[in-house]
Amino acid sequence: MKEAAVLAIEWQERMDAASRRQQTGEGICALAFNEALVGLVDQAKARVAAALEEELLLPGSVDERLVVAAVTKDGALARELLPQAIAEFKKDNGNNPQAARGERALQALAEMAEGKPAEAIALLEPVTVDARSSEAVSIWTIAQMQMKNWTEAAKGLAFMTAEKQRQGLSARSAFEYASLARVQMELGQKEDARKSYQKFFDLWKDADPDVPLLIQAREEFAKLAS
């Protein structure tokens, strides 16, 4: 994550030089999302705030900002962003038959930011666990984890960790394996949990040692092994 933060500065300079501010804002939000996902919440918030100060976040990046608000549980910011995010979504999707589902996903993100996972689940159901609904499945799964609905969460995480769903350089894969391991522990599936933790550690063998997600996973794995 530290290396990514350094590279982001260089990348931002290149995007600005090429007059590609939309991509700049989206990239900054993507990095902030990853930082928040692994527990670097203050760092993520500071990154987005600095980008706003520098006027790098154009209207097209409002949905990415809403995602960051959901992960950092910033309810006030989510309430502010939701109407803008819906307006941008409608502008981009028009009469698309899937538009209503996408709008509900944005509303679910705002509910997650407010600490209301049950309301988020209600907005998203019924959920079809397939590639076309991957973003909705991700939100739904995290909400199920927060509600301690372990069986439902396990179903979503099994899909999210499937090979076809892996997200390149994103921290999502590591987060998903760590989450799956925790859910499997709650379900009493200790051997499966060990395997999921090991996949997480394999993915993050070169990770910064002080990343909160890694520290927590190591502590949990040690308890599992004892």
Side-chain angles (χ1 to χ4, degrees), residues 11-24:
W11 178 83
Q12 180 178 326
E13 291 172 349
R14 291 185 179 184
M15 290 296 101
D16 283 351
S19 299
R20 297 171 65 180
R21 287 219 151 192
Q22 180 66 46
Q23 289 90 337
T24 302

Side-chain angles (χ1 to χ4, degrees), residues 37-102:
L37 204 60
V38 305
L40 300 171
V41 173
D42 291 342
Q43 188 169 311
K45 288 183 175 181
R47 187 173 302 283
V48 173
L52 277 171
E53 183 70 22
E54 296 176 37
E55 299 182 345
L56 294 173
L57 301 181
L58 302 181
S61 64
V62 67
D63 54 341
E64 285 92 348
R65 291 175 60 198
L66 182 58
V67 171
V68 175
V71 178
T72 58
K73 297 183 179 180
D74 191 334
L77 179 58
R79 287 194 300 272
E80 176 187 334
L81 293 175
L82 182 59
Q84 303 171 49
I86 290 175
E88 285 293 318
F89 182 82
K90 287 181 175 178
K91 183 173 72 175
D92 292 339
N93 291 273
N95 295 321
N96 187 316
Q98 302 300 319
R101 184 180 298 177

